[in-house]
Amino acid sequence: MDAVTNRGALTCDGHKSTTCNDDGCPYNFYVQVKEGGYLLIATATIYGYDFIHRFGNMVFVLKMHPRYCERTDSAPCEMTVRVRGTAFVTLSRK
């Protein structure tokens, strides 16, 4: 089983994390290795994500600040990525 963490949702001693900003919150993406541990494959500051079936594979659709799609409007950038081994491969940006 792989794992995703949202560091912006962490609470320590009753205090919520302050790592989020206008670009979103930092998320860490991990894959489980056969030895039983986890390997960090990506860190991204995003608004959120969906994990959906597209193009015959399960892919992440990351909702990000529009500047990551080289835009200046206010609509979130949607970047579709697939995990290949231990790397994210970008399939599309809009």
Side-chain angles (χ1 to χ4, degrees):
M1 173 166 285
D2 300 329
V4 177
T5 61
N6 174 357
R7 292 194 337 238
L10 297 176
T11 302
C12 183
D13 293 331
H15 299 286
K16 189 162 171 80
S17 173
T18 59
T19 59
C20 298
N21 58 35
D22 290 341
D23 286 352
C25 295
Y27 283 72
N28 291 333
F29 296 84
Y30 301 88
V31 294
Q32 188 174 30
V33 293
K34 64 181 175 182
E35 294 82 9
Y38 287 88
L39 178 66
L40 175 66
I41 61 168
T43 297
T45 301
I46 59 177
Y47 300 143
Y49 71 93
D50 290 316
F51 191 59
I52 62 171
H53 190 261
R54 188 180 291 171
F55 310 120
N57 296 294
M58 295 301 292
V59 297
F60 287 102
V61 178
L62 308 176
K63 294 175 182 72
M64 311 169 84
H65 191 280
R67 70 183 169 91
Y68 292 111
C69 286
E70 301 173 2
R71 295 193 341 250
T72 57
D73 60 348
S74 62
C77 167
E78 288 189 2
M79 187 177 297
T80 303
V81 297
R82 177 172 53 193
V83 177
R84 282 282 190 186
T86 58
F88 270 11
V89 176
T90 302
L91 302 174
S92 67
R93 288 191 290 177
K94 66 175 185 169

